Amino acid sequence: MSNLNLDDWQEEILNAEPGDILLCSGRRIGKTTIFAIKAARRILKRKTNIVITSLTEDQAKLIIIMILQEIERLDKKQIKKGKDKPTQNKINLKNGSTAIARPIGLTGDAVRGFDGDVLFLDEVSRYSDLVMTAATPILLTTGGEIWAESTP
């Protein structure tokens, strides 16, 4: 991802101060990529737990791969090894940060019971009210941020 020439809107997403972000745009323009880069930079910078939700398991795994690639490019020494090494669904860093990806399907039950500082909602316009009811309590104990992106 290091050879990307970022558009102004992508730079704006990357440089946005902590807070909620909602991005609605066309298909195949780099929404997920820019949020993956942002996630990698955030968890490297300070202890942060990011819960990534996606409708499908394949997309959830893809986001983890994208985050891991950016971490490897920036500071691969931070990636834990051994029993805590990255999996298809989770990244653990030496600074205590984590990124976990959960496919939420139609009900969102797969995200119940998690806590996070950032809740990343991939293709959020496709989520049902049940999913949002299940996912948003992730932030109750942290007062965290929601990063949401979608194609209309």
Side-chain angles (χ1 to χ4, degrees), residues 41-135:
R41 291 180 181 184
R42 172 67 67 85
I43 65 176
L44 281 169
K45 184 176 179 181
R46 66 177 181 267
K47 184 177 185 262
T48 303
N49 297 312
I50 298 178
V51 178
I52 303 149
T53 63
S54 183
L55 290 172
T56 67
E57 185 174 14
D58 286 347
Q59 182 67 11
K61 289 177 183 178
L62 177 63
I63 295 168
I64 285 290
I65 290 167
M66 295 167 83
I67 294 170
L68 188 57
Q69 287 174 337
E70 184 69 3
I71 293 169
E72 287 173 340
R73 186 183 75 78
L74 295 172
D75 189 1
K76 70 186 316 180
K77 292 178 185 173
Q78 279 296 316
I79 302 168
K80 284 191 171 183
K81 297 184 185 325
K83 67 177 180 59
D84 291 324
K85 70 181 179 187
T87 65
Q88 293 180 346
N89 296 316
K90 189 172 184 180
I91 300 168
N92 295 300
L93 297 184
K94 292 177 182 175
N95 69 4
S97 291
T98 62
I100 184 167
R102 302 297 297 167
I104 47 90
L106 299 174
T107 64
D109 286 342
V111 294
R112 292 185 190 277
F114 289 92
D115 290 322
D117 302 298
V118 175
L119 174 59
F120 172 24
L121 307 168
D122 180 58
E123 289 296 348
V124 71
S125 70
R126 311 298 189 273
Y127 289 20
S128 71
D129 290 343
L130 288 172
V131 170
M132 295 307 293
T133 299

